[in-house]
Amino acid sequence: MRFLSGLKISLFLACLLPLARLLWLGFNDGLGANPIEFITRSTGTWTLSFLLITLAITPLRRLSGWQWPIRVRRMLGLFAFFYACLHFTTYVWLDQFFDPTSIYQDIFKRPFITIGFASFLLLIPLAATSTQAMMRRLGGRNWQRLHRLVYLVTIGGVVHYWWLVKKDVTQPAIYAAVLAVLLGYRLWRKRSGPAFLNGASTQSTSRPAQENQR
Amino acid sequence: MLIKRPSDILPSEITDREIYRSRRQFLQSVPAALAVATLPGLFSTPVFAAEKLPGARKSPFSTGEPATPYKEVTTYNNFYEFGTDKADPARAAKTLTTRPWTVTVEGEVKNPRTYAIEDLLRLAPLEERIYRLRCVEGWSMVIPWQGFSLSELIRRAEPTGNAKYVEFVSLHDPKQMPGQRSGVLDWPYVEGLRLDEAMHPLTLLAFGLYGEVLPQQNGAPLRLVVPWKYGFKSAKSIVKIRLVEKPPVSAWMRAAPSEYGFFSNVNPAVDHPRWSQAKERRIGEFLKRPTLPFNGYGDQVAQLYAGMDLKKFF
């Protein structure tokens, strides 16, 4: 228990480092010639990173046999939402300065913004139902079904990044590759079927929601 | 045409520049001092970049808008020959050797010639042209260039009746340009203009920036500056200028024909397929500003495109 709370506190602080870095750079003239672009990119790529880290929890737990990763998954998922909110706020406030016409046109005319915005919207119900009380109210099954949206959100996020870059897709390709591994692992396990599950009792889908696998 | 008086340049701008310069000179003197102490000659390139280009006369084509500081102009660059991140060229372009350098003018001309860069610099009197630069990505700067109209060079080559277009070829040498080891564009970088665009007095062959020899990351030792077109049309580190009959296929047209056309005139009414071109962020400013047709040079160049559908010929 003490291990877990210590872990949670250090992880919480670690998750704030990308924001701390931006603030530090901001106050030290370190954001380059186009600070708004820098902040938009940074909060965007950290959103993707946190989504991928969250999706890595289940494989990590399965492969290592550790139980603690599942205990920090909610926090990691909420940090993905936190950076997505910063990303969205940067766009609406700093980049567009609340210009309704150009935001409206962006969302409906630019496929990369359409998909980014849709992914952000889909993250909201996941964040809203992340509490124990909401899990209980929804019931494990429904909660789990709802939270499978995270796959769609992450795919949408990677596509959003891919369509945005002018020509060099190296960076989005790295995120896409990690996502492919994480999704591939799940497909492979699903295809291998129950015979593969050596510790079948801990994997059962009827377990309480928090313990369920995504 | 509105000609603004030089008093529009704020005294604070000038001070700024001196501070940047002295800081730069100090920073450059550090590796130079190290070089003297340890490996003579190894760090000679960055010292070279600060060479002055004196005596450029002022030009009525200059804008009175405040210039973007030297630091931003030289650290935020799209120059894929040195990497695709805008911070890459300032870091990686030191490997570019700009002397000796030759430029060949050839093709449909009566006087083809290969110029040494030193001779080219003396071809016509240098002018300072303070131009707006609008990048296709949606940001802009105001940059004081030193150079002369490209027409000075083309005129001397005497284009034949077949010459309709001008093709610009940039250096292709992966040893000096590490970004060329990646296939992000088809190398060498190629750009093109219609002959009348190339002969327009605004079209500048630039050798300097802020009164100094062009830094490598800005396209040394010579580049094109076509202020009414998106930045990528202004080819950098040019080695060949070829007059041709057919429209050249530029590197960006080859890479994404639906996104980058031959003309690529700055046009707020024609969006890039993936983003809007209606506004731009001037580097150093917080709020975006509206983008002007032909980047504000419409009075001078709009007649070049009279009767053309600019949505079709984007």
Side-chain angles (χ1 to χ4, degrees):
Chain A
M1 222 40 225
R2 283 190 57 184
F3 162 73
L4 200 65
S5 59
L7 175 80
K8 275 188 171 172
I9 290 166
S10 6
L11 199 65
F12 184 85
L13 294 173
C15 291
L16 284 171
L17 283 178
L19 176 63
R21 171 175 169 264
L22 277 182
L23 290 171
W24 191 84
L25 288 174
F27 286 112
N28 290 282
D29 193 24
L31 294 174
N34 198 343
I36 296 172
E37 179 190 55
F38 190 105
I39 296 168
T40 312
R41 287 292 171 98
S42 178
T43 51
T45 48
W46 277 109
T47 304
L48 272 182
S49 299
F50 276 105
L51 284 169
L52 292 175
I53 292 168
T54 310
L55 286 181
I57 291 295
T58 295
L60 175 68
R61 181 190 171 201
R62 289 243 174 86
L63 296 170
S64 67
W66 297 329
Q67 287 307 306
W68 61 263
I70 203 75
R71 304 274 176 189
V72 297
R73 189 174 67 181
R74 170 166 51 192
M75 179 166 56
L76 291 166
L78 283 171
F79 265 107
F81 181 64
F82 172 67
Y83 282 101
C85 288
L86 289 181
H87 183 63
F88 183 72
T89 311
T90 308
Y91 166 74
V92 169
W93 182 8
L94 302 182
D95 192 56
Q96 299 293 328
F97 207 71
F98 311 107
D99 177 345
T101 351
S102 70
I103 293 171
Y104 176 87
Q105 282 180 352
D106 263 0
I107 290 174
F108 292 98
K109 274 173 73 180
R110 322 270 163 227
F112 90 90
I113 294 182
T114 314
I115 198 162
F117 183 65
S119 304
F120 175 64
L121 288 184
L122 290 180
L123 260 184
I124 294 171
L126 305 198
T129 57
S130 63
T131 60
Q132 292 284 7
M134 282 307 287
M135 278 181 204
R136 247 176 275 125
R137 265 179 70 180
L138 282 172
R141 263 244 142 86
N142 287 332
W143 186 90
Q144 192 189 26
R145 225 176 271 152
L146 176 68
H147 278 248
R148 286 205 181 106
L149 278 177
V150 74
Y151 298 129
L152 212 59
V153 167
T154 313
I155 294 168
V158 171
V159 174
H160 168 65
Y161 192 12
W162 195 292
W163 282 350
L164 144 84
V165 297
K166 197 158 76 173
K167 189 72 205 340
D168 182 4
V169 291
T170 314
Q171 293 288 332
I174 293 169
Y175 288 91
V178 174
L179 178 62
V181 169
L182 294 173
L183 294 181
Y185 170 82
R186 287 164 167 86
L187 285 177
W188 170 69
R189 266 190 68 97
K190 213 174 167 189
R191 284 191 50 181
S192 310
F196 175 83
L197 310 172
N198 37 15
S201 63
T202 60
Q203 317 293 338
S204 157
T205 48
S206 59
R207 301 270 299 169
Q210 203 192 355
E211 296 294 326
N212 274 330
Q213 316 301 313
R214 281 181 181 166
Chain B
M1 187 196 325
L2 196 80
I3 300 173
K4 296 210 172 168
R5 284 173 299 129
S7 62
D8 281 331
I9 298 163
L10 300 168
S12 60
E13 284 300 312
I14 296 160
T15 318
D16 253 340
R17 213 196 316 175
E18 288 310 312
I19 293 167
Y20 283 122
R21 277 205 191 134
S22 63
R23 195 189 292 163
R24 239 168 80 81
Q25 277 162 357
F26 170 73
L27 287 173
Q28 281 164 350
S29 70
V30 175
L34 283 172
V36 169
T38 55
L39 298 161
L42 188 67
F43 293 98
S44 58
T45 328
V47 180
F48 195 72
E51 192 186 311
K52 295 270 185 289
L53 269 183
R57 60 180 191 204
K58 298 209 178 304
S59 162
F61 293 129
S62 288
T63 169
E65 292 162 89
T68 308
Y70 186 89
K71 184 184 161 204
E72 272 71 41
V73 176
T74 54
T75 55
Y76 191 74
N77 308 97
N78 274 322
F79 198 173
Y80 279 19
E81 280 85 339
F82 298 102
T84 55
D85 190 282
K86 278 183 277 294
D88 287 341
R91 281 194 294 259
K94 296 297 170 219
T95 48
L96 176 66
T97 308
T98 56
R99 304 275 170 100
W101 189 279
T102 58
V103 183
T104 303
V105 185
E106 58 177 33
E108 294 291 344
V109 291
K110 294 196 190 86
N111 294 323
R113 191 181 154 182
T114 297
Y115 292 87
I117 184 72
E118 294 81 3
D119 298 332
L120 204 51
L121 256 164
R122 285 193 291 264
L123 194 75
L126 292 185
E127 294 174 33
E128 181 187 65
R129 304 258 185 105
I130 306 171
Y131 279 166
R132 291 178 289 274
L133 174 115
R134 168 64 155 80
C135 177
V136 73
E137 295 167 354
W139 52 268
S140 64
M141 294 184 179
V142 176
I143 305 176
W145 305 102
Q146 282 75 37
F148 49 75
S149 291
L150 175 68
S151 62
E152 297 281 357
L153 178 62
I154 295 181
R155 199 163 46 80
R156 285 170 173 80
E158 293 186 49
T160 68
N162 288 334
K164 301 282 188 300
Y165 294 89
V166 189
E167 181 180 64
F168 304 88
V169 184
S170 300
L171 180 68
H172 184 200
D173 182 358
K175 281 201 285 296
Q176 295 186 59
M177 297 179 144
Q180 289 179 335
R181 286 168 215 158
S182 104
V184 62
L185 290 173
D186 266 353
W187 307 111
Y189 194 88
V190 170
E191 258 308 336
L193 295 173
R194 220 168 52 190
L195 185 58
D196 59 344
E197 297 176 322
M199 293 301 285
H200 194 281
L202 275 176
T203 302
L204 186 73
L205 200 55
F207 303 87
L209 174 83
Y210 264 112
E212 289 172 3
V213 166
L214 276 176
Q216 285 109 321
Q217 63 267 34
N218 292 85
L222 84 162
R223 64 170 294 169
L224 200 60
V225 183
V226 193
W228 72 92
K229 292 174 180 282
Y230 292 118
F232 65 87
K233 290 295 291 181
S234 297
K236 303 184 182 85
S237 305
I238 296 168
V239 292
K240 221 170 257 178
I241 298 174
R242 199 181 283 144
L243 282 97
V244 291
E245 202 177 345
K246 299 261 152 44
V249 178
S250 73
W252 278 106
M253 287 163 77
R254 206 179 291 273
S258 61
E259 301 190 345
Y260 307 100
F262 176 79
F263 290 97
S264 292
N265 293 317
V266 175
N267 191 342
V270 176
D271 288 339
H272 186 279
R274 290 184 284 151
W275 56 81
S276 165
Q277 295 291 26
K279 291 195 219 169
E280 66 198 52
R281 172 160 290 112
R282 178 70 51 85
I283 295 303
E285 290 180 356
F286 176 65
L287 292 179
K288 286 188 174 179
R289 50 165 73 211
T291 288
L292 303 173
F294 301 107
N295 201 22
Y297 297 96
D299 286 351
Q300 290 101 314
V301 300
Q303 86 280 356
L304 295 175
Y305 311 99
M308 279 173 66
D309 178 359
L310 296 176
K311 280 199 161 61
K312 193 172 160 214
F313 298 101
F314 60 89

